[in-house]
Amino acid sequence: MKDYHISKHHSFYTIGLNYKKADAVVRGKFSLDDNAISALLAQAKDQDIDGLLATSTCNRTELHGFAQHPFQLIKLLCDNTTGTVEEFQEVAYVYKNNEAIGHLFRVGTGLDSQILGDFEIISQLKQSFNRSKKMGIANPFIERLTNSVIQASKRIKNETEISSGATSVAFASVQYILRNVPDITSKNILLFGTGKIGRNTCENLIKHTKKNQITLINRTKDKAERIAGKFDLVVKDYGDLQTEIRTSDVLVVATGAQSPTICKEMVYTKKPLLILDLSIPKNVSDDVSELENVTVIHLDHLSQMTDETLARRKQFVPKAESIIETVKADFIQWLETRKFAPVIKALKSKLKTMKDEEMDYQSKKRADFDAQQADIISDRIIQKITKQFANHLKGDHVDADSSLALIQKVFQLEIDTQ
């Protein structure tokens, strides 16, 4: 696919970084919040980019879009984050055209997730698309591709058991707590922040502990109260954080701030304290782990926890991959059709001009010429000829580019690429 005929720019790229090569610190430098994504898309529009998706989660940041050169997208990312081009290049990947399409399918269907079969990403992909569409930077290719990935994700969810069994970072957090904190039912748990993973961890913890053991603190108290109300938990003021840490046995941090919210000076404890940092960038300062009695575990450690659930999920990967191949093949066929549609349209127009000239000639030459009948027959022949060409171009073993060039040459077609 040398040219998509679907964007002003010829190539579709994915540029990004994820948990495989970039640790939490580096991922934090390149993470994009909503405002940064809006600014990035606006900047891309100014650069005449007509199709772009930006996704940023705790495990990855990626841009998928059309550009003259991938560096255009890399620069957009670096302009809107605190990371540098040099830092990006150390951990990055760049995919082009078919590889970029294949990568987005794997990401969107949970095959590339830090925890296999984690479908959180699909809702983020939908959000990314809606944002791009709203800002007028989602061309037909981006729209069709996103819908195809969503379709593949739905089919994998329904037709395989790749997401069966509770496994997620939240599940791993609870497993870690249960394995490492003896007699959990008599311990105090403090949840600081209302990030999604933190809320899910809290929900999972309630099943294994008593509700009155869990205290929730958030910078904005009303948000904490809304969430606490759902689970019937105790809420304390942000000003009580230091006091609450003293009496806690487990501290779960899920604030989603851009810099650490828990520093060494805030933590004072005479008994063992387990701190789980479920945030990207890290929300617990590195030096906190130097404190006596304190163990700090970050999201990345939890994600590496494998259990029987994950082992069981792996057996469904081939089935998931075959579903992806089917949906992807439909997308590629649509793409190829889009690619040669202008040529078929121009061919139809050329044949129609020939027909009109011949009809005009015959009607002048023959007094008994049946224009209506001739018109019907000619149109049917034109339809059959163009269909033959279209079927040829759709063939699996056809060099579409050479065929398109030949058709243009033979019929001396002028192509409208818009």
Side-chain angles (χ1 to χ4, degrees), residues 12 36 47 53 63 67 84 97 104 151 156 163 195 209 217 244-245 252 259 287 298 319 323 353 400 409:
F12 177 67
Q47 292 177 18
L53 284 177
L63 299 184
T84 65
N97 292 344
L104 190 58
Q151 185 195 344
I156 289 168
S163 59
T209 59
I217 291 180
E244 287 299 320
I245 291 173
V252 179
S259 54
D287 57 4
H298 188 259
K319 171 76 173 152
I323 290 169
T353 305
K409 194 174 173 185

Side-chain angles (χ1 to χ4, degrees), residues 280-307:
I280 293 286
K282 285 182 177 179
N283 278 194
V284 177
S285 288
D286 289 339
D287 57 4
V288 172
S289 56
E290 295 166 8
L291 293 165
E292 221 179 314
N293 289 332
V294 175
T295 309
V296 180
I297 297 293
H298 188 259
L299 189 77
D300 283 4
H301 300 125
L302 295 166
S303 300
Q304 286 157 11
M305 286 175 59
T306 51
D307 55 14

